[in-house]
Amino acid sequence: MADYQRISHGFDPVFDEHSRVLVLGSFPSVLSRENRFYYGNPRNRFWRVMSDVLGEPVPAVDDVDAKRALLLRHGVALWDVIESCDVRGSSYASIRNVVPADVARITGAAPVGAVLCNGGTAGRLYRRWLEPVTGIAAEVLPSTSPANASWSLERLEARWREALLAALG
């Protein structure tokens, strides 16, 4: 296993003054950091799930502008709970020495009324570090990670649809 490395997030959150729902992951994977955008592993189902739920075509793997626009058109903000940490590769279980993201950067600029966490790790980290800041209880959804093989794409889409559409009102 690789040694621990101190890693900073490396890219900005996606949000604007119309964002009503904040979707949070835990921390970018190695592939996401290399691609300099969220869910950069083509096997991660996040962009397929969001596109299906929001009724839009799936953006091309390398089209960051289309991914950003997809979310913003629907009032969805996207970020991660952690700004920097010590981590081994992409192993979320190895995360230590967390510096949480400055979530007030989003909640102070947008009318965020709901927080959805992409997976249990994001949910645990959010409850510990960010919920005291936002005062918003998060709904923890099943991870879109390829490591979450027990959830089929269809089940993920159904569960995310239920939560996201309810949060968007």
Side-chain angles (χ1 to χ4, degrees), residues 72-94:
L72 295 178
R73 271 193 302 278
H74 296 277
V76 177
L78 179 62
W79 207 6
D80 288 310
V81 175
I82 298 173
E83 175 56 38
S84 65
C85 64
D86 296 335
V87 64
R88 289 181 177 156
S90 292
S91 170
Y92 295 133
S94 75

Side-chain angles (χ1 to χ4, degrees), residues 101-152:
D102 178 13
V103 73
R105 181 173 168 190
I106 295 176
T107 59
V112 171
V115 174
L116 304 177
C117 292
N118 189 354
T121 299
R124 284 187 299 280
L125 293 168
Y126 175 80
R127 279 189 211 104
R128 180 173 181 187
W129 298 105
L130 300 183
E131 188 173 333
V133 175
T134 67
I136 302 170
E139 183 168 357
V140 179
L141 297 175
S143 174
T144 59
S145 166
N148 184 14
S150 66
W151 280 77
S152 68

Side-chain angles (χ1 to χ4, degrees), residues 2-155:
D3 289 333
Y4 275 94
Q5 290 183 289
R6 183 75 187 168
I7 305 287
S8 290
H9 192 281
F11 41 93
D12 287 330
V14 174
F15 74 100
D16 66 16
E17 68 276 7
H18 306 290
S19 299
R20 300 184 321 272
V21 175
L22 174 57
V23 175
L24 290 169
S26 51
F27 191 70
S29 69
V30 171
L31 276 173
S32 293
R33 294 191 306 262
E34 287 172 2
N35 293 326
R36 308 218 18 94
F37 201 66
Y38 302 91
Y39 305 104
N41 180 341
R43 292 180 47 230
N44 191 301
R45 298 166 290 177
F46 181 82
W47 294 109
R48 284 178 279 171
V49 167
M50 292 303 287
S51 296
D52 178 77
V53 170
L54 298 173
E56 297 210 27
V58 180
V61 171
D62 60 349
D63 194 344
V64 169
D65 291 337
K67 291 174 179 178
R68 184 178 280 113
L70 167 71
L71 298 175
L72 295 178
R73 271 193 302 278
H74 296 277
V76 177
L78 179 62
W79 207 6
D80 288 310
V81 175
I82 298 173
E83 175 56 38
S84 65
C85 64
D86 296 335
V87 64
R88 289 181 177 156
S90 292
S91 170
Y92 295 133
S94 75
I95 289 173
R96 63 183 188 190
N97 299 322
V98 168
V99 173
D102 178 13
V103 73
R105 181 173 168 190
I106 295 176
T107 59
V112 171
V115 174
L116 304 177
C117 292
N118 189 354
T121 299
R124 284 187 299 280
L125 293 168
Y126 175 80
R127 279 189 211 104
R128 180 173 181 187
W129 298 105
L130 300 183
E131 188 173 333
V133 175
T134 67
I136 302 170
E139 183 168 357
V140 179
L141 297 175
S143 174
T144 59
S145 166
N148 184 14
S150 66
W151 280 77
S152 68
L153 179 60
E154 294 75 24
R155 281 183 69 208

